[in-house]
Amino acid sequence: MPDTHSPALRSNQPADAHAAVYRYDEFDKTFIFERVEQFRAQVERRIKGEITEEEFKPIRLMNGLYLQLHAYMLRVAVPYGMLSSTQVRRLARIARVYDKGYGHFTTRQNIQFNWPKLEDVPTILRELAEVDMHAIQTSGNCIRNVTTDQFCGAAADELVDPRVYAEILRQWSTMHPEFTYLPRKFKIAITGSPNDRAAVQVHDIGLIAKKDETTGRVGFTVYVGGGQGRTPYLAVKARDFVPVEEIIGYLEAILRVYNQLGRRDNIYKARIKITVNEMGADKFIGLIEEEYARLRRQKFHVDPAIVDAIQTHFAPPPWVELPAISDSFEAAKAADPAFARWTRSNLTEHKTRGYAIATISLKPIGGIPGDAEADQLETVADLADLYSFGEVRVTHEQNLVLAHVRQDDLYALWKALDAAGLGTANAGLISDIIACPGLDYCALANTRAIPVAQRIAERFADLDRQHDLGELKIKISGCINACGHHHVGHIGILGVDKKGEEFFQILLGGDAGTNAALGEIVGPGFDYDGIIDAVETVVNTFVKLRQPGEIFIQTLARTGHAPFKEALYARA
Amino acid sequence: MPVLDRGLPIDDRWTDLADDQDIPAEGAVIVSLERWRTERDALTARRDAVGVRLKSNQLATEIADDLGSLSLVALEFPKFRDGRAFSAARELRERFDYKGEIRAFGHIIPDQYLFLTRVGVDTVVVPADRVGPAWAHALKEISVAFQPALGREEGVSLLRRHLKGTVPA
């Protein structure tokens, strides 16, 4: 075994004893196994023909089971993106035994298996339940898995650790009797950092946790009505501060108004963003406030003692006192330029001296964004045990994170990652692309998305060039449903079908961060071969125009779209 | 059509009247909201109980002022996916303190039954060919509820189990 600083490994505790995942108690376990048996019975009733496919559909969807282009797809929830190494190994096992040896991490911090058999799914769910996992409400017109900042509890810029609140919301929304047959799906994101890494303004509800400056108590700025899809909207602020004790009641009010007044006549108009914008934000917020005012609030009151009790699941791991500068880390950077390059793109400042947050890229050049093989998952689990308290996080940008790595350990970590094809130094760079599954898997898609991402990454394969370009986020959707987040890509790419041929439109200026913005379509689309050249034209235009220190989105904001448009279309 | 209470068929005393059916001299009747509004006097002049049907786009507020005269409110599911009645039932119970019977009818599947009881629905109307053990089973297969709703766990969300010494309902 390599050297480890893991206090768990050096004692007799499980290696992931300090991983910050919510650990099920007897009630959670009772529920999850009952739920598995319920689904097993539902599958049997479906196979016997006692319920129709139409009736089975929402049931399987609420258990994460989709019917895709070629097969069923099972989407497993990773609550707010947190996993223990035990859970990662179980995912690897499921990939190997029940699928084709790999899984796919999604933009909602979940993992999808693309080839399970219907009759195996109850057994897969049981295997998940054994490690406190499930696939509940990863689909369907219900409250979906709550997402958050992948650096929570570790980032230097964080004000409030959102995980305990994300877990409270997970429990509250699980099999909610009133809000499980909503007009449409419902996504909640929560962050506790002023630098929004959870894209809260493009969610049905976005929560920013903060502390009241005078009292110090925790509460949330509540945004409502954001979303991507065919009709993208940024969310509007409903309230600047809802104290923790009131948050469940306030969310009940929002959901009740939406459940009663959201449109059900047209699936494309059914999200809360449409209700908010058709009605007008002021009127909608007025209705929420009326509903909240008459709600039986004591019933939904979140006792601070409950928060404290759940908080214990997310206790900080036993960090040790370390010097701010690690000599061995500095020496390794000086000796190995490839490692030094990785540290520039894939590390984020940790709040504790001597530690760093490491992003594991699932975007190898030419690979499928977000895919991980079973062997790779096991490698990540082993490395998490050795170097990061047995904890792994999933990011909405389809990468993984080890959040608490000693600077002393980074070189060994990177070498092990690199050997497993997981060491690409491209986090946040042009080849760190979000792409939806597209026509390769999805029944809704109009065009391919994965091969476009692969070809862009190959065009920009030179890592020195990528690092020179700096932060540049490309996001690709294979249809207007926008699962690839093209609206909020610095460069967004939208695939459309034009008389049976794939065409790709370019959007510029989107941003999923704190200064959330929706990109604008720059002009006519490009064909499958032309889109790669077009992206390169945009990038070269940026290089020509940029001022020292500027990243793409800053140059674009300064110059506007005109020079990019001209470069793309002047020849025509 | 059979009416289920706690998963089992019951003898039902209610007659569900279409708008073009005459009001019988005796017996409990359920009428549409529109008919209730136009024939209210005739309906309340009878000795027997009256109930009102709400379509899924008719909110509980439509009937709020009349609840004192109504022994039953029936909520329609035109499609089981249309979940508005879940909120209507809960508003009847929690906002308007309605104590009468709440009945769900239309396209309902057993997998919704537990949720229906948790938002305050008492009885469910089911087509004869859909009556079976699945309904009673649906009330038993999940014994844990995570959020406050109506029924035995009212006011005690399962979140409270995290408090030392608190036993969930």
Side-chain angles (χ1 to χ4, degrees), chain A residues 22 25 27-28 30-31 34-38 41-42 45 50-52 54-56 58-59 62 141 167-168 170-183 248 252 255-256 259-262 264 291 294-296 298-306 309-310 313, chain B residues 56-57 59-61 77 79-88 90-91 93-97 107-112 114-116 118-119 130 134 137-138 140-151 153-164 166-168:
Chain A
Y22 176 77
D25 63 18
F27 298 100
D28 298 299
T30 299
F31 167 73
E34 284 177 349
R35 175 78 178 198
V36 169
E37 290 316 306
Q38 179 188 43
Q42 288 162 338
R45 273 159 55 213
E50 289 173 21
I51 44 175
T52 64
E54 194 208 357
E55 290 170 332
F56 182 58
I59 294 168
M62 269 177 244
N141 294 335
E167 173 58 25
I168 288 171
R170 184 191 74 82
Q171 294 192 26
W172 160 73
S173 61
T174 296
M175 286 190 76
H176 195 295
E178 187 178 346
F179 305 132
T180 299
Y181 293 87
L182 295 168
I248 296 291
E252 288 261 338
L255 267 300
R256 183 171 292 171
N259 191 38
Q260 293 182 105
L261 300 181
R264 292 174 188 266
E291 185 65 45
R294 62 178 167 248
L295 210 72
R296 297 184 183 183
Q298 72 284 359
K299 190 164 175 169
F300 303 104
H301 183 262
V302 180
D303 193 324
I306 292 175
I310 298 178
H313 294 260
Chain B
S56 68
N57 62 357
L59 303 182
T61 46
F77 283 77
K79 272 275 172 201
F80 72 100
R81 286 191 301 271
D82 183 344
R84 284 177 281 196
F86 289 103
S87 287
R90 197 147 179 196
E91 292 244 286
R93 292 288 187 231
E94 288 190 325
R95 180 172 167 191
F96 301 118
D97 269 323
H107 187 193
I108 300 162
I109 58 177
D111 307 278
Q112 295 176 307
L114 181 63
F115 292 160
L116 286 168
R118 293 192 67 222
V119 296
R130 286 289 175 115
H137 184 64
K140 287 185 299 203
E141 57 194 350
I142 304 287
S143 64
V144 173
F146 286 94
Q147 56 294 101
L150 289 149
E153 75 278 21
E154 172 157 21
V156 186
S157 151
L158 198 60
L159 283 171
R160 299 194 73 80
R161 76 191 185 282
H162 295 286
L163 300 183
K164 225 176 166 181
T166 306
V167 181

Side-chain angles (χ1 to χ4, degrees), chain B residues 16-166:
Chain B
D16 207 5
L17 286 186
D19 281 354
D20 57 2
Q21 274 179 293
D22 290 336
I23 298 170
E26 288 187 0
V29 292
I30 304 170
V31 297
S32 68
L33 176 65
E34 295 72 20
R35 191 167 194 184
W36 165 251
R37 284 179 172 161
T38 53
E39 297 178 49
R40 180 189 175 125
D41 290 344
L43 285 160
T44 49
R46 301 161 75 251
R47 263 190 333 191
D48 292 319
V50 185
V52 163
R53 281 193 303 274
L54 293 183
K55 292 188 187 308
S56 68
N57 62 357
Q58 293 170 332
L59 303 182
T61 46
E62 303 263 12
I63 203 80
D65 293 337
D66 302 334
L67 290 171
S69 314
L70 300 174
S71 304
L72 179 147
V73 178
L75 302 173
E76 185 192 15
F77 283 77
K79 272 275 172 201
F80 72 100
R81 286 191 301 271
D82 183 344
R84 284 177 281 196
F86 289 103
S87 287
R90 197 147 179 196
E91 292 244 286
L92 286 171
R93 292 288 187 231
E94 288 190 325
R95 180 172 167 191
F96 301 118
D97 269 323
Y98 181 61
K99 304 283 192 240
E101 179 176 338
I102 300 179
R103 173 169 291 195
F105 71 101
H107 187 193
I108 300 162
I109 58 177
D111 307 278
Q112 295 176 307
Y113 195 18
L114 181 63
F115 292 160
L116 286 168
T117 61
R118 293 192 67 222
V119 296
V121 170
D122 302 295
T123 52
V124 177
V125 184
V126 181
D129 62 353
R130 286 289 175 115
V131 176
W135 294 91
H137 184 64
L139 298 181
K140 287 185 299 203
E141 57 194 350
I142 304 287
S143 64
V144 173
F146 286 94
Q147 56 294 101
L150 289 149
R152 65 191 165 89
E153 75 278 21
E154 172 157 21
V156 186
S157 151
L158 198 60
L159 283 171
R160 299 194 73 80
R161 76 191 185 282
H162 295 286
L163 300 183
K164 225 176 166 181
T166 306

Side-chain angles (χ1 to χ4, degrees), chain A residues 47 167 196 233 243 353 374 378 534:
Chain A
I47 288 170
E167 173 58 25
D196 179 7
Y233 284 109
R353 212 173 55 183
E378 281 163 356

Side-chain angles (χ1 to χ4, degrees), chain A residues 11 77 97 137 155 225 260 284 325 332 393 469 487 489 514 522 529 538:
Chain A
S11 69
V97 175
Q137 289 171 217
Q260 293 182 105
F284 189 82
I325 308 267
R393 291 128 181 257
L469 295 172
H487 295 298
T514 312
V522 72
D529 293 319
V538 169

